[in-house]
Amino acid sequence: DAGVTQSPTHLIKTRGQHVTLRCSPISGHKSVSWYQQVLGQGPQFIFQYYEKEERGRGNFPDRFSARQFPNYSSELNVNALLLGDSALYLCASSSPTSGTYYEQYFGPGTRLTVT
Amino acid sequence: KQEVTQIPAALSVPEGENLVLNCSFTDSAIYNLQWFRQDPGKGLTSLLLIQSSQREQTSGRLNASLDKSSGRSTLYIAASQPGDSATYLCAVEDYGNNRLAFGKGNQVVVIP
């Protein structure tokens, strides 16, 4: 079975631009979460979606938004990019019915560089 | 707010030695605790998940313990190998919110 997939792998943007990151969860998983990992730090929670509804939001500005589609894939959007948005963006999926007690499975991440 | 601390931040050990990595958290009302491995620039690989009702989990050379009352978990890696070189992250899920709070990680180098 395919794991969590994310696209693109890397991208470079200029300050002030907009970016869209994409995530496909493990087949059958209905929950998707987004995390930001700045170099040298642990991942920080941004959003969680379950069954297309936002279930949680971390301490991030309104420039960050996300959505989940009927096939449970998800997009993370960031507007008006700042240099400080440069990070590895990680997507995780989980399923309360998987029998693994909400274990979260992470994708390979998207490396965003803002210049 | 849950805060997770991992010590030491970095360590080097000769091949064959046992590794002991520590994680502490401030709020003991957790749902579960997960240990992850991260290779440079890569995503996270789940190693072990310990439910709040459990005291330990084992997988191969890895063993993780959980002492919820004292807010601590320890990851043991037996007979370390150069391939174990990576950053190990501890994350806790507070009860019922399905979001993980991470520590900064233990950066491990196993010297051949």
Side-chain angles (χ1 to χ4, degrees):
Chain A
D1 284 341
V4 178
T5 59
Q6 293 186 243
S7 62
T9 304
H10 300 87
L11 72 165
I12 299 173
K13 291 285 188 178
T14 303
R15 278 179 297 175
Q17 286 188 318
H18 163 90
V19 69
T20 297
L21 311 181
R22 294 178 175 83
C23 170
S24 293
I26 292 171
S27 178
H29 284 193
K30 299 180 179 180
S31 172
V32 170
S33 299
W34 287 95
Y35 291 81
Q36 180 197 64
Q37 186 179 26
V38 174
L39 194 62
Q41 303 292 316
Q44 296 290 318
F45 172 79
I46 310 175
F47 284 110
Q48 190 225 347
Y49 277 78
Y50 179 73
E51 290 274 20
K52 296 167 287 185
E53 291 188 0
E54 182 182 305
R55 291 297 185 91
R57 182 184 183 116
N59 188 24
F60 280 80
D62 291 344
R63 300 184 295 107
F64 288 77
S65 64
R67 56 179 176 168
Q68 187 176 33
F69 298 100
N71 66 353
Y72 304 112
S73 67
S74 177
E75 282 183 353
L76 175 69
N77 295 284
V78 187
N79 293 323
L81 285 166
L82 303 173
L83 294 179
D85 296 331
S86 296
L88 181 67
Y89 288 84
L90 296 162
C91 174
S93 76
S94 66
S95 172
T97 60
S98 70
T100 55
Y101 218 72
Y102 303 106
E103 184 168 3
Q104 298 214 29
Y105 298 87
F106 282 78
T110 293
R111 170 72 62 187
L112 171 65
T113 301
V114 182
T115 62
Chain B
K1 175 189 172 187
Q2 182 73 265
E3 293 189 4
V4 181
T5 302
Q6 292 186 246
I7 53 172
L11 72 161
S12 296
V13 297
E15 182 178 359
E17 273 200 8
N18 296 331
L19 277 163
V20 180
L21 307 178
N22 296 300
C23 170
S24 62
F25 46 94
T26 54
D27 187 344
S28 62
I30 65 169
Y31 196 56
N32 62 49
L33 182 145
Q34 262 183 282
W35 281 94
F36 294 91
R37 169 184 171 137
Q38 186 173 35
D39 293 295
K42 304 296 184 182
L44 308 183
T45 300
S46 180
L47 298 174
L48 291 166
L49 179 144
I50 310 176
Q51 301 173 21
S52 60
S53 58
Q54 297 176 321
R55 293 301 297 266
E56 67 176 349
Q57 279 284 356
T58 298
S59 176
R61 295 185 294 113
L62 276 58
N63 173 275
S65 64
L66 174 63
D67 184 341
K68 211 170 64 162
S69 61
S70 67
R72 294 183 181 182
S73 176
T74 301
L75 178 67
Y76 298 89
I77 303 178
S80 61
Q81 303 169 358
D84 294 329
S85 298
T87 296
Y88 293 84
L89 291 158
C90 168
V92 298
E93 179 183 342
D94 290 337
Y95 195 84
N97 67 14
N98 204 217
R99 67 178 71 179
L100 296 175
F102 283 85
K104 292 183 179 180
N106 305 108
Q107 187 176 7
V108 172
V109 174
V110 180
I111 303 166

